[in-house]
Amino acid sequence: MARSITYITGSQLLSVKRRPNIAVVDVRDEERNYDGHIAGSLHYASDTFLDKIPSLIEAAKDKDTLVFHCALSQVRGPKCARRLAEYLAEVKEETGIKNIMVLERGYNGWEASGRPVCRCTETPCKGE
Ligand SMILES: [Zn+2]
């Protein structure tokens, strides 16, 4: 049984995102390059997501909560979150990941609500 995926709102995420146990995972594709991003978020584009799951697990090894989003969090974000949950259920690897969440309304909702965005071009983003 894959674990269930829960949703988090932008305001909830804003209040917890600086906690060291949380990673924000942006699965947008090339839009990230010109639309800005949530500071400190990891980028794992949805089109290559499956192949990069082991690298994501490595990058998030000290995190227990991963918050996925795409532009609207309607298709790619929930899909990648589900893929990760299925992967973890399959490999039964001890990863420390306890919560898999999706950011409601995605990056577009985050930005439209006036929440802080980062426009750096560094990979990974070092913002905040
Ligand atoms: Zn940045």
Side-chain angles (χ1 to χ4, degrees), residues 93-110:
E93 193 181 314
E94 209 30 77
T95 61
I97 299 171
K98 294 192 179 74
N99 307 302
I100 302 177
M101 308 181 94
V102 172
L103 171 63
E104 278 178 17
R105 300 178 61 223
Y107 178 77
N108 294 4
W110 174 273

Side-chain angles (χ1 to χ4, degrees), residues 3 11 18-19 39 44 46-47 54 56-57 71 73-74 78 84 88 94 102-105 110-111 113 115 126-128:
R3 74 197 73 198
S11 58
R18 286 167 191 268
R19 292 187 189 163
Y44 286 87
S46 70
D47 58 358
L56 170 60
I57 289 173
S73 285
Q74 289 188 345
L84 176 66
L88 293 176
E94 209 30 77
V102 172
L103 171 63
E104 278 178 17
R105 300 178 61 223
W110 174 273
E111 188 180 29
S113 305
R115 301 201 167 92
K126 303 237 171 26
E128 300 187 38

